[in-house]
């Protein structure tokens, strides 16, 4: 299964399961989702140098889920570093808010109308990290959700030490994805 | 924080709606044995530029549930029946039935307006030249985001060109709107595909008839959209400032002056009373490119020149006028080489007028 298929099944099944997947960027192109691009706070607002994008971005149960996908779980290491960096930084979270604001998504499409400072201040409650890849023995890091993507199916596992928002999303996803398990 | 109660995704309508968490209702995906519920024909193959686009197309209609999925390869690595459609450019989707292409689909979230209007038109033309119905799924009106955010409207000339392609090749060349809401935001909740889905389903159910009901409805919509847009913005009813329609005598005289009397018009060009001159302002430094000019040339060709399916079937000459570029530089940057994209410069115009020379192309 290539990354395009991983992307398609993860996006489509999450949406069918009732998860508000509103942003993302497929490998090598674009689709109906908003491309959420975080401008590097160190390089200012112009250009895409150093910017961060995510394969999928969802809002579910009051939290933003940032999802990185690969066609092989062994390739996820760099994605973990990227996600850790973004969710721990007020600047990156501010850049995330800037992009939602630019796209006029705040207060629309099921996304809350939250202020920039509040989003950064409450980032540990409002962001959940997730990875996705075809099934493997990969053990997701602590406080991460792992989406296992099959041909027409989707299921999830989680790492250890789940914080409250991750646990809430994970337990809900497990139920929602049950019809799509493979 | 408050949640806005606005629908953001409308689940598939192809299967009965089930309350969470009982039965899945994804268009094509199934746990276990994903694509076995619907009556299928296995004779279909979906060739796609990217896997996710191919899967999106396959899942539009249950009839394609068991279609074979293939990725369009690089030049020279595709079967002949697909390869012939890639000569000008790579479309997003080529649907084949029993080894014959039956539909080409191009999908974009950008409104063809301003400089972008001609992008990707080459691949549309190529499908029509091979009698393969083609759909361009694109927003007619939508908001562009970013630093220069604004509402973009379709350049109606592309609709006129598509309608003329449809007539000349006698094959549907369809523009289908990706709808937007009242504020110009693209619909992204799944319902944006509804009409496209209807057209593809009707086309397949009719046995790939070019006169399927939804295809004819699409044509009526395109004609209405064109009329309304020209009514709202009159310049769309005539050529843009970069295009001049002059007498061929005048064109010959201009070229004589430019080339110090060295220009010799061939009989093909002289046989047509008028010449459409498309001025392209590229400089010698930046002339190694195709977009958007090579796509746009097709729009003006079909709008003002073509009267038959072969590129030489023209009632007016089409000349690409690049007055800043010397011939040597042009040939170095844009050779007539079928293995390169620059080949598109030589696909339909009668000639290319340069700073110090003229390249005769089609006739």
């Amino acid at each position: 299964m290539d990354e395009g298929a991983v992307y398609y099944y993860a996006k489509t099944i999450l949406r069918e399961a009732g998860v508000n997947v509103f942003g993302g960027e497929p490998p090598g192109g674009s689709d109906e989702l908003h491309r959420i691009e975080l401008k590097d706070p160190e390089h200012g607002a112009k250009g895409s140098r150093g910017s961060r994008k995510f394969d999928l971005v969802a809002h579910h149960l009051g939290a933003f889920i940032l999802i990185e996908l690969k066609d092989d779980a062994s390739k996820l290491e760099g994605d973990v570093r990227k996600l850790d960096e973004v969710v721990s930084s007020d600047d990156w979270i501010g850049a995330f808010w800037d992009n939602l604001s630019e796209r006029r998504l705040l207060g629309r499409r099921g996304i809350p109308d939250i202020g920039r400072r509040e989003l950064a201040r409450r980032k540990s409650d409002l962001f959940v990290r997730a990875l996705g890849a075809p099934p493997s023995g990969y053990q997701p890091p602590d406080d991460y959700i792992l989406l296992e993507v099959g041909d027409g199916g989707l299921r999830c596992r989680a790492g250890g030490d789940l914080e409250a928002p991750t646990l809430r999303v994970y337990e809900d996803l497990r139920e929602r994805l049950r019809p799509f398990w493979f | 924080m408050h949640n806005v109660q606005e629908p953001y995704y409308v689940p598939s309508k192809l299967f009965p709606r089930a309350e969470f968490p009982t039965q899945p209702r994804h268009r094509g995906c199934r746990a276990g044995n994903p694509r076995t519920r619907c009556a299928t024909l296995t004779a279909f193959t979906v060739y796609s530029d990217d896997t996710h686009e191919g899967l999106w197309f396959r899942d539009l209609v249950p009839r394609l549930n068991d279609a074979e999925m293939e990725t369009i390869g690089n030049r020279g690595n595709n079967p002949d029946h697909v390869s012939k459609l890639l000569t000008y450019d790579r479309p997003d989707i080529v649907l084949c039935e029993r080894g014959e292409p039956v539909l080409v689909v191009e999908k974009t979230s950008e409104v063809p307006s301003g400089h972008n209007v001609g992008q990707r038109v080459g691949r549309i033309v190529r499908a029509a030249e091979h009698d393969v119905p083609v759909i361009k799924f694109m927003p007619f009106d939508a908001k562009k985001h970013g630093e220069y955010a604004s509402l973009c409207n379709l350049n109606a000339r592309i609709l006129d060109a598509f309608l003329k392609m449809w007539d000349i090749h006698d094959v549907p060349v369809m523009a289908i709107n990706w709808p937007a809401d009242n504020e110009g935001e693209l619909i992204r909740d799944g319902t944006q595909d509804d009409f496209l889905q209807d057209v593809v389903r009707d086309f397949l159910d009719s046995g790939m008839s070019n006169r399927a009901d939804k295809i004819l409805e699409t044509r009526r919509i395109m004609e209405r959209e064109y009329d309304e847009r020209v009514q709202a913005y009159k310049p769309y009813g005539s050529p843009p400032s970069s295009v001049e329609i002059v007498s061929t005598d005048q064109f010959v005289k201009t070229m004589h002056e430019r080339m110090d009397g060295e220009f010799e018009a061939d009989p093909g060009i002289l046989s047509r009373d008028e010449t459409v001159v498309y001025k392209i302002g590229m400089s010698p430094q930046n002339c190694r490119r195709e977009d958007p000019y090579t796509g746009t040339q097709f729009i003006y060709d079909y709008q003002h020149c073509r009267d038959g399916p072969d590129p030489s079937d023209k009632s007016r000459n089409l000349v690409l006028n690049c007055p800043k570029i010397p011939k040597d530089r042009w040939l170095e940057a844009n050779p007539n080489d079928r293995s390169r994209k620059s080949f598109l410069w030589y696909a339909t115009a009668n000639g290319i007028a340069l700073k110090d020379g003229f390249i005769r192309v089609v006739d």
Side-chain angles (χ1 to χ4, degrees), chain A residues 2 4 8-9 12 15-16 20 26 28 32-34 102 104 107-109 112 114 151-152 176 179-181, chain B residues 1 4 6 8-9 12 20 25-26 29-31 34-35 50-52 55 58-59 145 181 183 185 188:
Chain A
D2 70 17
Y8 177 79
Y9 288 124
T12 311
R15 296 185 102 185
E16 288 288 333
N20 180 10
E32 76 280 9
L33 297 183
H34 291 278
E102 186 180 278
R104 302 174 65 233
R108 301 157 62 98
R109 315 277 179 198
I114 185 171
D151 180 8
R176 284 179 184 274
F180 301 94
W181 279 37
Chain B
M1 291 201 313
V4 178
E6 185 181 355
Y8 47 79
Y9 183 68
S12 166
F20 164 78
R25 48 182 191 256
H26 171 53
C29 308
R30 288 285 181 280
R35 295 188 295 276
D50 285 305
T51 309
H52 70 92
L55 292 168
R58 183 200 67 188
D59 287 351
H145 292 281
D181 66 18
E183 295 175 331
E185 297 292 341
R188 301 168 192 265

Side-chain angles (χ1 to χ4, degrees), chain A residues 21-41:
Chain A
V21 180
F22 64 90
E25 186 177 43
S30 61
D31 61 4
E32 76 280 9
L33 297 183
H34 291 278
R35 193 177 70 163
I36 305 299
E37 182 173 10
L38 282 55
K39 303 287 185 190
D40 186 347

Side-chain angles (χ1 to χ4, degrees), chain B residues 23-66:
Chain B
Q23 290 297 310
R25 48 182 191 256
H26 171 53
R27 288 174 175 83
C29 308
R30 288 285 181 280
N33 193 2
R35 295 188 295 276
T36 54
R37 256 193 202 182
C38 306
T40 56
L41 291 178
T42 53
F44 289 107
T45 306
V46 176
Y47 289 85
S48 62
D49 204 19
D50 285 305
T51 309
H52 70 92
E53 288 174 330
L55 292 168
W56 160 79
F57 180 75
R58 183 200 67 188
D59 287 351
L60 279 179
V61 288
R63 193 157 183 172
L64 296 177
N65 253 339
D66 277 350

Side-chain angles (χ1 to χ4, degrees), chain A residues 15 32, chain B residues 8-10 27 187-194:
Chain A
R15 296 185 102 185
E32 76 280 9
Chain B
Y8 47 79
Y9 183 68
V10 178
R27 288 174 175 83
I187 303 294
R188 301 168 192 265
D189 62 6
T191 62
Q192 72 274 10
D193 296 334
D194 284 359

Side-chain angles (χ1 to χ4, degrees), chain A:
Chain A
M1 180 180 284
D2 70 17
E3 207 168 315
V6 171
Y7 173 89
Y8 177 79
Y9 288 124
K11 172 187 80 170
T12 311
I13 296 175
L14 283 171
R15 296 185 102 185
E16 288 288 333
V19 177
N20 180 10
V21 180
F22 64 90
E25 186 177 43
S30 61
D31 61 4
E32 76 280 9
L33 297 183
H34 291 278
R35 193 177 70 163
I36 305 299
E37 182 173 10
L38 282 55
K39 303 287 185 190
D40 186 347
E42 289 188 5
H43 288 107
K46 288 199 170 179
S48 57
R49 190 175 160 210
S51 69
R52 297 279 189 276
K53 287 179 279 188
F54 304 101
D55 293 328
L56 294 171
V57 182
H59 188 266
H60 189 62
L61 299 181
F64 290 100
I65 313 174
L66 308 180
I67 305 169
E68 285 292 281
L69 305 167
K70 284 285 185 290
D71 59 357
D72 187 327
S74 66
K75 300 176 183 173
L76 287 167
E77 200 176 317
D79 297 304
V80 172
R81 278 198 300 274
K82 178 168 94 175
L83 289 168
D84 288 349
E85 184 184 11
V86 168
V87 303
S88 62
S89 156
D90 285 1
D91 288 340
W92 279 117
I93 296 299
F96 179 80
W97 185 94
D98 291 342
N99 197 254
L100 297 191
S101 174
E102 186 180 278
R103 292 180 171 277
R104 302 174 65 233
L105 286 168
L106 295 164
R108 301 157 62 98
R109 315 277 179 198
I111 298 167
D113 188 8
I114 185 171
R116 195 176 193 274
R117 280 187 191 168
E118 187 187 358
L119 188 70
R121 184 171 53 80
R122 296 180 55 206
K123 60 183 181 294
S124 57
D125 291 331
L126 298 180
F127 284 87
V128 169
R129 294 160 292 177
L131 304 166
S136 69
Y138 177 75
Q139 178 59 33
D142 287 352
D143 201 30
Y144 267 79
I145 294 170
L146 176 69
L147 299 167
E148 291 192 311
V149 187
D151 180 8
L154 189 66
R155 63 191 184 207
C156 62
R157 292 194 281 124
D161 289 337
L162 300 187
E163 301 288 341
T166 311
L167 180 62
R168 190 170 67 242
V169 169
Y170 171 62
E171 288 184 339
D172 181 79
L173 278 184
R174 271 182 53 190
E175 289 305 309
R176 284 179 184 274
L177 294 179
R178 198 173 295 282
F180 301 94
W181 279 37
F182 57 98

Side-chain angles (χ1 to χ4, degrees), chain B residues 113-175:
Chain B
S113 62
H115 216 45
N116 295 330
V117 64
Q119 277 183 352
R120 307 178 180 210
V121 172
R123 55 192 86 172
I124 304 290
V125 169
R126 192 63 181 171
E129 286 179 348
H130 284 277
D131 301 325
V132 179
V134 55
I135 294 172
K136 183 161 182 174
F137 181 54
M138 59 187 172
F140 287 5
D141 306 279
K143 184 164 278 178
K144 184 173 75 174
H145 292 281
E147 194 176 351
Y148 304 104
S150 62
L151 184 68
C152 297
N153 304 112
L154 181 76
N155 180 332
R157 294 184 186 99
I158 196 172
L159 294 175
D160 186 41
F162 277 21
L163 289 165
K164 284 177 172 149
M165 287 175 206
W166 192 323
D167 292 337
I168 285 169
H169 295 284
D170 195 22
V171 67
V173 179
M174 294 170 273

